[in-house]
Every structure is written in C-alpha cells, then in structure tokens.
Amino acid sequence: MRYYKSLTDGYITAIGTGPGGTEITEAEYNEIKSVIGNMPQAESGYWYRLTDGLVWEKYEIITPAPEPTPEERIAVLEEQLAAAKILLGLEE
C-alpha cells in the first residue's frame, strides 16, 4: 500500500493512502496519524496547524470582514466620484 502526506508552506494538510501527495513510509504515516489524534485543545478564536516537523503551532482564526451592503457600496462610490470631480477641477 502507498502512504502519502500533502504539505503547504511547511504544514501538513493531508495524509492518506493511494495516489497523491509525497510518498512516505507506513511508519511515518502512523506517527503523523498519532500526532493528529492528539491535537491540543484550542481556546476560543484559535486553532492549531501541524508543521512538517510534527510540531503543533497555535494561530488566531481571522474572520473575514462582512461584505458591504449595496447602500455602503453606493456611499463609497459617491465619495470617490466627489473626490474625482474635485481633482479634475469640475467642482470645488
């Protein structure tokens, strides 16, 4: 059986069997699987990611800003239009 791990920027993003990723030994697969099974408990607003060196690194979960409403988008566009008119000398 073929075992693999997938890495992104030095972090393990997946392990599995079959095609894909970087081939590893069964022993390494079992070691990674054991470490994953013992992930530390994350406090609210944080999570952990596993480095290729099998070290858990805590990081803050960043929630993306909500999408602006149509009204907010229109207000920004109106401000930009007013500024452009002043810069072009169309208004004072």
Side-chain angles (χ1 to χ4, degrees):
M1 180 175 296
R2 181 182 184 279
Y3 298 90
Y4 71 88
K5 66 180 175 182
S6 296
L7 299 171
T8 302
D9 298 327
Y11 296 99
I12 297 174
T13 55
I15 62 170
T17 59
T22 302
E23 188 169 0
I24 58 175
T25 65
E26 181 179 4
E28 183 177 3
Y29 172 85
N30 288 330
E31 181 180 17
I32 295 169
K33 189 174 177 181
S34 174
V35 171
I36 290 171
N38 291 302
M39 184 178 89
Q41 179 69 35
E43 53 198 77
S44 180
Y46 292 87
W47 199 248
Y48 285 91
R49 56 186 164 202
L50 186 60
T51 69
D52 191 29
L54 301 184
V55 175
W56 287 109
E57 286 186 1
K58 182 168 66 171
Y59 67 96
E60 185 176 5
I61 299 171
I62 299 173
T63 306
E67 287 291 318
T69 65
E71 293 79 14
E72 292 169 329
R73 288 182 180 165
I74 290 170
V76 169
L77 289 173
E78 288 173 343
E79 290 173 10
Q80 291 172 341
L81 178 60
K85 285 180 180 180
I86 291 170
L87 290 172
L88 293 171
L90 300 174
E91 289 184 9
E92 291 184 22

